[in-house]
Amino acid sequence: MSGLLLQIEGLRKNYGARRILDIERLALHAGESYVVTGDNGVGKTTLLRIIAGLESAQISRYQFEGRPILLENFPQRLRQEIIYVHQHPYLFKTTVAANIGYGLKARHLPKAERETLVKEAMEWAGVAHLNHVPPQELSGGEKQRVALARTKVLKPKLYLLDEPTANLDAEARRQTIELIQRLRLDNNCVLIACHDYELINLPHMRRMTLTDGRLLPQVAAASQEQII
Amino acid sequence: MDLLQPTREAFSLLFSGNPELWRIIFISLRVSLIAMLVVTPLAVAVGFFLATVAFPGRRALVILIQGLLSSPTVVVGLLLYLLLSRQGPFGSWHLLFTQEAMIIGQAIIAFPVVVAFTLSAVQGADPRAHETAVSLGAGTTRAALTTLLEVRFGVMAAVFNAFGRVFSEIGCSLMVGGNILGLTRNIPTAIALETSKGEFAQGIALGIVLMAVALGVNYALAFVQGEGGLK
């Protein structure tokens, strides 16, 4: 197994009096793909958003690459390493290329370098032909691919993908799954929350189940019935 | 009353390039455009702040700003008059009966309009826009500007609406401008004066310009919004 990338201990999240998450330990390694399954509303999205620093929670220890991180003031440096992609990705009302280059611009990369990286990312995701289409007019699958390209171009160490194949038709789903597999092959760490049988049972996928707020390892491959 | 004759004269005044008439139009545009340029950045920032940052008393402040939307412009003019008059706290600035006083008055009138519309536009923004910007590494300012850009049609509507309000207001301009020909006489104050004198031609000519600008602003807004504004 590759190096430990992220380690979280004692994660607790309450909504009012109700405890949503009660996770003793979560460890993610570089170059590995993880999937979290569980019923709707069990807290999968919340877990991903907490890891990404988009939601607060009680956490005893949050370590990234061995360094302890204080989540109250989520450091900008960590935003460059961990990127969360919404279930229905939001594309800015600009162009596909501007969307993909957004994070690079925020990092103040020179224009020429940005353009090269954006072009590469568009080819990687197979969206180069969509640059003249307004982002709002893209299909769900195309939006998902643009969002993945927009994330990949920043070379984060951890991808947090929330239901990346939900509501996609068969072809869009196949393309998205292929991109996710390529992310893993490029030695990235990917954590996915989903119900997608095919995605869960991909080879090398490490499976976990979220039940009653607790994260349990799932050794055997999931069956469709189990997921549904 | 025969309306045909003064209307004919009005068009003749407009197209003959009557310098007095065009000076009034120029003053109106200058004052209102500068007022909007001055107030827009601050008002948009305040609207964004009120929409996104929770603090004690925010609700009361939002209600106050929404209430100020319908504040009578003549009352704004009265307060400004008292502040700028010789005995007032800012009397030494000698601003009363100047275009600068009119600009300040119109900026005050436009402020709550831009704040309230921006606030509403930002509150209606998709929360994923800000989260996506932050997640992709944008700092506070860039993420805020991104959100504003995403709701640009709403913000533009705020600015255009406020311009429409100040361009046609008369109360404040009359109070702090004084309706001085060639200096502070703008379209609304000129219409009121000319009509009271029975000079309908100039009043109608200026009324046509006022309506044309008001409609033009709306068409301009629809044009810049493109299809996005209709979705």
Side-chain angles (χ1 to χ4, degrees):
Chain A
M1 190 179 281
S2 321
L4 185 60
L5 187 69
L6 175 81
Q7 181 168 252
I8 295 177
E9 287 175 17
L11 186 159
R12 280 168 191 88
K13 174 75 178 174
N14 298 335
Y15 281 141
R18 190 171 153 231
R19 176 151 290 180
I20 296 288
L21 296 173
D22 189 358
I23 297 169
E24 281 310 313
R25 186 170 183 272
L26 169 66
L28 305 177
H29 294 78
E32 298 285 348
S33 293
Y34 301 83
V35 65
V36 180
T37 58
D39 295 338
N40 281 332
V42 78
K44 301 188 294 294
T45 295
T46 308
L47 174 63
L48 261 55
R49 290 171 59 84
I50 290 168
I51 297 172
L54 295 172
E55 264 191 55
S56 61
Q58 281 176 265
I59 295 179
S60 309
R61 179 184 287 185
Y62 186 111
Q63 277 192 320
F64 193 80
E65 293 184 314
R67 284 189 294 270
I69 307 286
L70 283 175
L71 281 185
E72 285 76 29
N73 191 10
F74 203 79
Q76 196 66 15
R77 187 187 61 79
L78 215 54
R79 297 231 181 267
Q80 314 210 349
E81 312 284 13
I82 302 176
I83 299 185
Y84 169 78
V85 181
H86 289 95
Q87 177 176 350
H88 300 289
Y90 185 88
L91 299 188
F92 302 120
K93 296 182 188 104
T94 48
T95 61
V96 168
N99 265 279
I100 295 174
Y102 183 89
L104 298 171
K105 209 170 174 184
R107 284 158 177 74
H108 307 293
L109 254 75
K111 195 176 175 207
E113 197 179 334
R114 253 178 12 228
E115 282 173 356
T116 310
L117 290 170
V118 166
K119 203 169 163 231
E120 282 171 13
M122 287 175 87
E123 276 160 20
W124 175 82
V127 294
H129 63 291
L130 298 172
N131 198 31
H132 300 294
V133 182
Q136 306 93 284
E137 290 176 18
L138 298 180
S139 70
E142 289 165 344
K143 280 184 183 168
Q144 192 61 252
R145 273 150 56 206
V146 171
L148 285 174
R150 182 170 69 177
T151 308
K152 186 194 180 277
V153 79
L154 300 173
K155 299 187 175 71
K157 289 182 176 151
L158 174 57
Y159 292 72
L160 303 168
L161 310 181
D162 195 357
E163 307 268 6
T165 54
N167 308 318
L168 299 187
D169 62 39
E171 179 58 16
R173 218 174 115 243
R174 187 193 61 74
Q175 289 170 337
T176 305
I177 291 174
E178 192 189 310
L179 289 182
I180 292 170
Q181 279 181 294
R182 276 157 61 187
L183 285 178
R184 191 192 65 81
L185 292 173
D186 291 343
N187 203 37
N188 297 293
C189 180
V190 184
L191 174 61
I192 307 166
C194 77
H195 291 109
D196 190 315
Y197 176 69
E198 196 180 335
L199 202 50
I200 294 166
N201 285 325
L202 282 178
H204 313 290
M205 189 65 85
R206 295 177 173 273
R207 292 172 281 269
M208 295 174 274
T209 308
L210 196 57
T211 313
D212 296 329
R214 291 173 192 278
L215 204 53
L216 308 167
Q218 192 182 315
V219 181
S223 73
Q224 204 152 5
E225 289 73 33
Q226 274 177 298
I227 297 156
I228 294 164
Chain B
M1 192 200 307
D2 178 20
L3 281 175
L4 212 59
Q5 184 56 26
T7 308
R8 206 174 290 137
E9 283 174 32
F11 276 103
S12 145
L13 273 173
L14 276 174
F15 293 111
S16 66
N18 180 296
E20 188 184 307
L21 187 83
W22 283 99
R23 174 83 186 144
I24 291 168
I25 295 167
F26 170 76
I27 289 170
S28 249
L29 284 170
R30 182 177 184 272
V31 167
S32 297
L33 286 174
I34 294 176
M36 290 312 300
L37 280 175
V38 169
V39 82
T40 297
L42 177 69
V44 168
V46 171
F48 183 84
F49 181 81
L50 285 174
T52 53
V53 181
F55 58 90
R58 175 168 72 158
R59 197 172 142 73
L61 202 57
V62 170
I63 293 169
L64 174 71
I65 283 172
Q66 283 168 344
L68 288 175
L69 280 177
S70 51
S71 61
T73 59
V74 72
V75 175
V76 175
L78 173 65
L79 290 173
L80 199 57
Y81 185 97
L82 294 173
L83 291 171
L84 297 179
S85 66
R86 228 173 253 271
Q87 288 80 27
F90 304 110
S92 59
W93 293 4
H94 303 294
L95 286 177
L96 200 59
F97 306 137
T98 63
Q99 285 185 18
E100 285 70 29
M102 294 164 77
I103 289 167
I104 295 169
Q106 294 198 355
I108 293 170
I109 294 163
F111 182 78
V113 181
V114 179
V115 172
F117 276 75
T118 303
L119 170 90
S120 162
V122 175
Q123 277 183 332
D126 190 324
R128 292 174 306 159
H130 184 259
E131 281 184 3
T132 302
V134 167
S135 196
L136 292 171
T140 313
T141 311
R142 186 182 289 272
L145 288 175
T146 300
T147 305
L148 279 174
L149 208 62
E150 290 301 294
V151 295
R152 55 189 174 272
F153 300 132
V155 177
M156 274 192 271
V159 175
F160 280 66
N161 265 295
F163 178 80
R165 178 157 155 84
V166 296
F167 191 68
S168 59
E169 75 82 25
I170 181 167
C172 183
S173 294
L174 198 59
M175 297 282 290
V176 301
N179 204 10
I180 304 165
L181 182 63
L183 186 66
T184 59
R185 182 166 301 168
N186 63 7
I187 298 175
T189 60
I191 292 177
L193 180 74
E194 298 305 326
T195 308
S196 70
K197 289 194 312 193
E199 297 284 344
F200 297 113
Q202 202 181 65
I204 292 172
L206 289 169
I208 291 167
V209 175
L210 202 58
M211 285 301 293
V213 172
L215 289 174
V217 161
N218 276 294
Y219 275 107
L221 178 63
F223 178 75
V224 292
Q225 286 182 337
E227 282 186 22
L230 299 172
K231 278 182 182 170

